[in-house]
Amino acid sequence: MPDAQALNDTIAAAEQAALRDDAQRDAHLAAWAVAYEAFGTKANRTPCSAAALLKRVRKDGSLPRISPLVDAYNAVSVLHGVPIGGEDLDLYQGSRDF
């Protein structure tokens, strides 16, 4: 887990980067939109998490704060245009046989 200052610096960098054009990030997001459309979703209606986060930062001015781990992968996702994330298995109900 990154230290608090490093995490805050990364989040701030992601929030600032979200407001700038970034050809590489935008190319990644465009590729994800094509992939989503290939399996039948509408990318504009159901964007990948990275595109949704980018839009949210541009609207609200900041990334949502959830927990240090989630905040870290959300920041990386916005910085690089790659949808990443995780699940809290402790919150799942039912079988975890996977």
Side-chain angles (χ1 to χ4, degrees):
M1 185 69 64
D3 67 55
Q5 188 58 53
L7 177 57
N8 287 335
D9 292 347
T10 302
I11 292 169
E15 291 168 345
Q16 292 171 1
L19 302 177
R20 295 188 304 267
D21 289 332
D22 182 322
Q24 186 173 6
R25 180 194 59 217
D26 294 344
H28 286 157
L29 293 174
W32 279 104
V34 169
Y36 270 48
E37 289 173 2
F39 61 81
T41 66
K42 303 275 189 241
N44 288 336
R45 188 182 323 172
T46 311
C48 72
S49 61
L53 280 168
L54 184 65
K55 182 178 179 180
R56 185 171 179 172
V57 173
R58 288 177 174 167
K59 179 183 174 214
D60 299 340
S62 63
L63 282 165
R65 300 302 195 278
I66 298 167
S67 73
L69 180 60
V70 174
D71 298 350
Y73 65 65
N74 281 347
V76 171
S77 188
V78 167
L79 279 168
H80 301 288
V82 179
I84 55 176
E87 301 293 335
D88 186 343
L89 293 180
D90 291 336
L91 296 179
Y92 275 84
Q93 296 179 2
S95 175
R96 292 194 219 177
D97 297 330
F98 46 83

